[in-house]
Amino acid sequence: MAQVLEFKLPDLGEGLTEAEIVRWLVEVGDVVAIDQPVVEVETAKAMVEVPCPYGGVVTARFGEEGTELPVGAPLLTVAVGAPEGLETSGPVTPGPSGARNGSAPSGSSSPSSSSGSSGTESSGGSGNVLVGYGTGAPAARRRRIRPDRLDRTPTLSGALTVEAPVSEAPASGAPVVPVPAASSTAAPGFAAPGSVAPVSDGPVPVVSPLVRRLARQHDIDLRRLTGSGPDGLILRADVDGAIRQAEETEAAKTRPARAAAAPTGASPAAASPVASAAPAAERIPLRGVRGAVADKLSRSRTEIPDATCWVDADATELMAVRAAMNAATGPSAGPKVSVLALLARICTAALTRFPELNSTVDTEAREIVRLPGVHLGFAAQTERGLVVPVVRDAHTRNVESIGAEIARLTELARTGKLSPAQLTGGTFTLNNYGVFGVDGSTPIINHPEAAMLGVGRIMPKPWVHQGELAVRQVVQLSLTFDHRVCDGGTAGGFLRYVADCVEQPAVLLRTL
């Protein structure tokens, strides 16, 4: 017997509570295999493809592209198993995928019989008897939802057979496949997000605590909303729609008041609402990558007592060494070496000498935790915003290995394919803001790390070299550090060592 299973948005790890649908990879009616990616979602950490743990026919999708869903919310339903021999006493109910259940239309018992059955054609049906398809029929009867299930967060693992709209059981006692509520993507009978319904005395169908908090912040009565989710579940889009509707209503009330307050002798042009109305400010939601960055930076500024020191360094010799490496031929030739890879290798050498800066603070235990390995993060600007990929075990790598890993992670960041694991776990961050054409900055520490090195642009400047004024390649280095883990002497020693390696790359030979 065919069984319709509901696949929910899984826990993507790293404390993520929601994700936005970027692109559906399957359509309703498609046959999917086990572990086949079915949807591409964007979280606060990265963009990932979500595989489905079931194999079968997709019968419904929940949410359009751009919809934000909480972890545990339904993504799609899949009909698993063979539908042969499944009959009902009447035609099936249409849904967004063309059906409300997986049973065959009246007069058909199998896919092979549908093409030759005149009864199906005379009834106006489509003849499709695959699981998830069907013909026109009266609306299905909905079962009453138990109140104790509405305010409970659904489990994230394991399939379940949904008790949403089902057709009446046939008199013959043949089993009927329960199917979840129709997808909000295509269901014509669903209410628009944020539509107002009569006040109900029963429990409010809300799962996400984020939705409840958003409603409280804007004084939205959830009992007056009609949810666009499965079984009337109120989603974030519904609350956002109610907020916009309330703002529009308030604006409509204030316009007549402004018109009445206008002077009697004012000219028609002056009294025109178009002329008197001020342009509305644009509101951009802080969510996704931008929201995660905002939260982390705010937390860093709130919790970490940071300080910054900086120094100018003559990078002429470093640039010459890089040019010599890249110009090498024969057995000594290798991949091109970037300035960022050289600076990253200098950082790992400096952290070996000053391990205080490769640490974090446990505020609850009131302890400084010195970390055994260096996982070096580097700031990368992408179309989706600022991300910090992490080079694992950077202290065990040479310049070529670090450069290759930076190039690989940069390409993944550019295409939005970084996984959450590749964006977390860093112990120290290197920020090359010189690519934006600026000389200096005071970086904000990437919480919960203890320090960040900032690198400005390398450009020709007047410089006293060997007692004479010369034009040299000069760079400004800045170190922002957590003053709880060390004093200024340690931070200054770290920065001075980095500057010495930039000015005299031969210093690194001692640690190679």
Side-chain angles (χ1 to χ4, degrees):
M1 181 184 72
Q3 183 181 21
V4 177
L5 304 179
E6 183 180 74
F7 175 43
K8 299 178 180 181
L9 178 64
D11 184 355
L12 300 174
E14 306 297 339
L16 303 173
T17 59
E18 57 191 4
E20 180 179 336
I21 297 176
V22 176
R23 181 168 60 98
W24 283 104
L25 304 179
V26 295
E27 300 289 340
V28 173
D30 287 354
V31 178
V32 297
I34 295 176
D35 291 336
Q36 175 182 335
V38 294
V39 65
E40 190 176 63
V41 300
E42 180 181 23
T43 69
K45 300 287 187 181
M47 191 177 301
V48 296
E49 292 182 349
V50 180
C52 179
Y54 315 125
V57 179
V58 178
T59 59
R61 300 186 321 194
F62 297 94
E64 299 178 353
E65 294 179 357
T67 303
E68 196 168 61
L69 298 178
V71 169
L75 272 178
L76 49 76
T77 54
V78 179
V80 180
E84 285 78 10
L86 188 64
E87 296 181 355
T88 65
S89 59
V92 297
T93 305
S97 61
R100 282 287 187 185
N101 57 41
S103 56
S106 177
S108 299
S109 59
S110 68
S112 59
S113 65
S114 62
S115 58
S117 172
S118 60
T120 302
E121 296 175 0
S122 62
S123 64
S126 65
N128 293 324
V129 292
L130 293 175
V131 175
Y133 284 77
T135 56
R141 172 174 58 84
R142 288 183 179 269
R143 291 183 180 176
R144 184 180 300 277
I145 304 172
R146 296 200 304 271
D148 60 339
R149 298 182 58 188
L150 293 175
D151 285 331
R152 184 178 64 192
T153 303
T155 57
L156 305 184
S157 61
L160 56 93
T161 303
V162 185
E163 296 183 351
V166 296
S167 300
E168 294 185 4
S172 60
V176 177
V177 180
V179 180
S183 165
S184 60
T185 303
F190 267 37
S195 60
V196 178
V199 178
S200 172
D201 294 333
V204 180
V206 179
V207 170
S208 172
L210 299 177
V211 173
R212 293 183 178 275
R213 183 177 62 185
L214 185 63
R216 285 196 304 268
Q217 291 173 348
H218 294 84
D219 296 327
I220 300 297
D221 188 354
L222 291 173
R223 292 174 298 178
R224 297 186 61 85
L225 295 185
T226 299
S228 60
D231 297 330
L233 182 69
I234 297 177
L235 306 177
R236 181 169 182 171
D238 303 321
V239 177
D240 288 338
I243 294 172
R244 287 193 298 270
Q245 183 178 355
E247 291 175 349
E248 292 172 358
T249 303
E250 185 66 23
K253 292 179 180 179
T254 57
R255 278 197 295 268
R258 287 198 301 266
T264 307
S267 63
S272 172
V274 176
S276 60
E282 181 182 7
R283 292 181 174 269
I284 303 174
L286 274 175
R287 60 187 183 189
V289 173
R290 173 52 54 191
V293 170
D295 293 340
K296 179 161 268 192
L297 295 181
S298 299
R299 185 176 182 183
S300 177
R301 280 298 194 204
T302 302
E303 293 186 9
I304 300 177
D306 58 351
T308 303
C309 54
W310 56 89
V311 66
D312 290 338
D314 181 3
T316 306
E317 294 299 328
L318 182 69
M319 301 303 290
V321 167
R322 173 176 176 263
M325 289 180 178
N326 293 337
T329 58
S332 60
K336 299 296 182 182
V337 176
S338 66
V339 175
L340 189 61
L342 289 171
L343 292 170
R345 181 64 185 88
I346 292 173
C347 283
T348 59
L351 289 172
T352 302
R353 287 180 168 244
F354 301 91
E356 297 91 338
L357 295 172
N358 192 58
S359 60
T360 186
V361 176
D362 187 340
T363 55
E364 293 184 0
R366 294 185 61 82
E367 294 176 342
I368 297 174
V369 183
R370 291 189 182 177
L371 305 171
V374 177
H375 303 310
L376 187 68
F378 64 95
Q381 191 69 36
T382 69
E383 293 181 357
R384 298 172 57 241
L386 178 68
V387 294
V388 184
V390 177
V391 178
R392 302 287 172 184
D393 300 317
H395 62 290
T396 64
R397 300 174 180 262
N398 58 23
V399 172
E400 284 189 359
S401 176
I402 292 176
E405 185 67 1
I406 288 176
R408 185 183 73 87
L409 293 173
T410 300
E411 178 61 21
L412 291 176
R414 186 186 63 81
T415 57
K417 299 298 184 181
L418 285 170
S419 67
Q422 292 168 324
L423 290 166
T424 54
T427 63
F428 185 91
T429 298
L430 176 61
N431 188 357
N432 182 22
Y433 45 73
V435 296
F436 302 116
V438 297
D439 296 328
S441 174
T442 55
I444 299 177
I445 297 174
N446 187 19
H447 185 278
E449 298 170 12
M452 176 186 291
L453 179 70
V455 182
R457 59 179 175 172
I458 302 175
M459 61 179 303
K461 287 184 178 181
W463 190 265
V464 176
H465 177 64
Q466 296 180 352
E468 295 182 359
L469 188 63
V471 176
R472 307 285 288 182
Q473 299 291 323
V474 180
V475 61
Q476 184 180 98
L477 307 172
S478 60
L479 176 70
T480 297
F481 63 98
D482 186 341
H483 226 314
R484 295 173 298 178
V485 304
C486 69
D487 296 327
T490 301
F494 175 93
L495 188 59
R496 187 64 256 173
Y497 179 82
V498 171
D500 289 344
C501 291
V502 169
E503 294 182 341
Q504 304 175 51
V507 174
L508 277 176
L509 292 176
R510 296 178 180 177
T511 60
L512 294 180

